[in-house]
């Protein structure tokens, strides 16, 4: 017969499985709130708590489903995305209605004017059906290898972005929004690292959002934004930045330093070593350096962002050809094989760390 402690442990184990089983409900409810712009609707009332009816009245639909909305808001309030509290309705002692307001979490989902630091585009990208279906292929990948995204769609994610302008726009917006957030953390955590650099090439720089922020803080730097031709073709012009289209597996423009934010995790070790070898060719041997902003996994870590790193690792498995997150030993291995025997790791106030690597 089980003891009381064993019974509780068994029930907690069962509860944990139910929680994991329906974790998708959290992300889908979050995506729904972003699609309906619920944080912006609440914000539009001037910051005061609002009723469900007030939220529904500003959803662009002739007959919004109030009961569906109430259930979604109830879950998101439980997850601290929104704050909910009850007030007694006028004219009744037992009738109550719920008022909703923004929390520090939902402020990261604002999309209106002035919402420069928003994760809303990333929520929409990660919840896109094309990015959700590869997660269903993990078992097939374990049994027979291959890439989950290619198993699901028959082509790579980069091919989808190239062939589908709408998805390309969604993808670029998501990368741009994360760049704005993460570059601020990078600039705060790596204040002295950019001071001695005269020129900087951002490899895989997208439409240039990260480099723009760096140049604003360090206007003496001559920036080169380097990405695939169809990506830089949509990039807005900016003083101090040259936009170059090309393939990092072939050659990288020369500069004092190479910057790569959230690039290496897209690729397997062999591809990363090829990229690093091209980086070494692009920088001066004596005082050149590579600045890698990426996740450094801590398997036993219990920090604010440590669990997110492991979730990103599976996202890479779902979406990329060999992409993965790495712990320090895994980083050390590819750096050495790529021609960078010396490195240091610098923390930033985000889930990214700076890996500063030198060829000598």
């Amino acid at each position: 017969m089980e003891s009381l402690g064993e019974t509780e442990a068994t029930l907690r184990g069962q509860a944990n499985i139910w929680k994991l089983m329906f974790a998708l409900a959290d992300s889908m409810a979050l995506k729904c709130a972003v699609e309906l712009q619920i944080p912006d609707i609440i914000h539009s009332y001037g910051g005061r708590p609002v009723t469900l009816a007030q939220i529904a009245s500003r959803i662009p639909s002739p007959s919004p489903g109030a009961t569906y909305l109430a259930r979604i808001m109830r879950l998101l309030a439980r997850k601290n995305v929104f704050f909910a509290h009850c007030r007694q309705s006028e004219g009744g002692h037992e009738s109550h209605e719920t008022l909703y307001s923004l929390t520090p979490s939902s402020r990261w989902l604002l999309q209106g004017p002035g919402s420069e630091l928003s994760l809303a585009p990333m929520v929409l990208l990660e919840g896109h059906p094309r990015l959700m279906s590869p997660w269903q292929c993990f078992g097939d990948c374990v049994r027979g290898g291959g890439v989950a995204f290619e198993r699901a769609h028959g082509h790579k994610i980069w091919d989808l972005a190239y062939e589908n302008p709408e998805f390309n726009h969604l993808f670029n917006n998501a990368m741009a929004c994360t760049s704005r957030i993460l570059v601020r953390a990078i600039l705060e955590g790596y204040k002295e690292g950019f001071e001695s650099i005269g020129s900087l090439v951002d490899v895989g720089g997208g439409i240039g959002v990260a480099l723009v922020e760096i140049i604003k803080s360090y206007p003496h730097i001559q920036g080169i934004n380097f990405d695939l031709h169809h990506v830089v073709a949509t990039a807005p012009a900016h003083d101090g930045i040259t936009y170059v289209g090309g393939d990092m597996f072939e050659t990288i423009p020369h500069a004092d330093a190479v910057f790569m934010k959230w690039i290496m995790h897209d690729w397997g070790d062999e591809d990363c070593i090829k990229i690093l070898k091209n980086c070494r060719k692009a920088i001066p041997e004596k005082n050149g350096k590579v600045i890698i902003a990426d996740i450094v996994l801590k398997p036993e870590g219990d920090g604010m962002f440590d669990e997110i790193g492991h979730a990103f690792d599976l996202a890479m498995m779902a979406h990329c050809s060999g992409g993965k997150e790495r712990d320090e030993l895994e980083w050390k291995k590819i750096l050495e094989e790529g021609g960078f025997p010396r490195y240091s790791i610098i923390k930033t106030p985000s889930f990214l760390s700076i890996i500063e690597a030198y060829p000598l």
Side-chain angles (χ1 to χ4, degrees):
M1 185 174 179
E2 285 187 332
S3 67
L4 184 62
E6 290 172 334
T7 300
E8 182 177 353
T10 299
L11 287 175
R12 287 186 180 277
Q14 180 192 148
N16 187 47
I17 296 301
W18 285 111
K19 182 179 178 181
L20 292 169
M21 189 189 311
F22 287 104
L24 181 68
D26 298 344
S27 57
M28 290 296 97
L30 189 68
K31 180 190 175 187
C32 175
V34 171
E35 287 179 330
L36 297 176
Q37 297 189 344
I38 291 173
D40 291 279
I41 291 173
I42 295 174
H43 188 63
S44 70
Y45 283 94
R48 69 179 188 274
V50 298
T51 65
L52 196 71
Q54 287 175 306
I55 296 172
S57 70
R58 296 194 179 181
I59 293 175
S61 168
S63 56
T67 56
Y68 291 122
L69 179 61
R71 290 154 70 183
I72 290 166
M73 294 299 289
R74 181 171 59 189
L75 173 66
L76 292 176
R78 185 175 177 85
K79 297 295 180 178
N80 297 316
V81 176
F82 298 106
F83 179 73
H85 68 274
C86 292
R87 74 173 181 187
Q88 186 173 310
S89 298
E90 295 180 4
H93 293 290
E94 296 184 3
S95 178
H96 294 80
E97 64 180 345
T98 304
L99 297 177
Y100 298 95
S101 57
L102 299 181
T103 66
S105 293
S106 46
R107 291 187 182 279
W108 286 98
L109 302 176
L110 293 170
Q111 303 175 67
S115 304
E116 185 177 291
L117 300 181
S118 173
L119 283 170
M122 192 67 174
V123 172
L124 296 177
L125 176 68
E126 292 299 329
H128 191 282
R130 290 289 190 98
L131 265 65
M132 294 294 293
S133 53
W135 292 82
Q136 302 286 339
C137 300
F138 280 1
D140 292 334
C141 290
V142 171
R143 284 187 289 265
V147 179
F149 195 92
E150 293 177 26
R151 279 184 173 271
H153 301 301
H155 52 71
K156 297 179 180 180
I157 190 171
W158 320 115
D159 297 327
L160 176 61
Y162 179 75
E163 296 167 1
N164 187 322
E166 183 179 349
F167 181 82
N168 187 50
H169 180 70
L170 177 67
F171 186 89
N172 286 341
N173 279 351
M175 295 302 102
C177 87
T178 55
S179 283
R180 293 187 190 97
I181 294 167
L182 296 175
V183 168
R184 292 203 177 190
I186 291 166
L187 290 172
E188 184 175 339
Y190 193 61
K191 292 178 181 178
E192 299 177 359
F194 293 109
E195 290 180 353
S196 61
I197 297 172
S199 58
L200 179 70
V201 56
D202 185 355
V203 174
I207 58 174
V209 173
L211 197 54
V212 166
E213 294 302 316
I214 293 171
I215 297 298
K216 283 181 182 177
S217 297
Y218 300 91
H220 69 277
I221 294 177
Q222 178 61 46
I224 304 168
N225 191 75
F226 181 64
D227 211 312
L228 297 171
H229 290 283
H230 73 272
V231 176
V232 296
T234 64
H238 191 279
D239 290 342
I241 297 177
T242 302
Y243 295 85
V244 178
D247 186 343
M248 62 187 173
F249 291 105
E250 294 178 1
T251 186
I252 291 172
H254 288 256
D256 293 339
V258 171
F259 178 69
M260 291 188 288
K261 178 189 63 62
W262 232 7
I263 299 298
M264 302 289 274
H265 76 160
D266 288 333
W267 305 96
D269 290 354
E270 187 176 332
D271 285 328
C272 284
I273 291 166
K274 290 179 183 177
I275 296 168
L276 287 167
K277 286 181 177 179
N278 284 339
C279 288
R280 177 156 185 175
K281 295 175 185 176
I283 61 174
E285 186 170 355
K286 288 186 177 181
N287 55 4
K289 64 181 175 179
V290 171
I291 305 162
I292 301 169
D294 228 311
I295 291 172
V296 178
L297 288 178
K298 296 180 180 178
E300 305 302 324
D302 59 356
M304 188 183 303
F305 293 106
D306 286 336
E307 188 171 335
I308 297 170
H310 294 278
F312 269 121
D313 186 38
L314 293 193
M316 294 302 99
M317 192 163 74
H319 301 149
C320 299
S321 304
K324 62 180 182 179
E325 307 300 349
R326 297 173 172 88
D327 61 27
E328 183 174 351
L329 289 178
E330 291 172 308
W331 278 112
K332 184 176 186 291
K333 179 178 181 295
I334 62 171
L335 287 168
E336 288 179 347
E337 293 187 31
F340 293 89
R342 187 164 61 94
Y343 71 92
S344 61
I345 296 177
I346 302 163
K347 292 182 179 180
T348 76
S350 73
F351 54 79
L352 297 185
S353 294
I354 295 292
I355 304 167
E356 191 179 52
Y358 298 89
L360 292 175

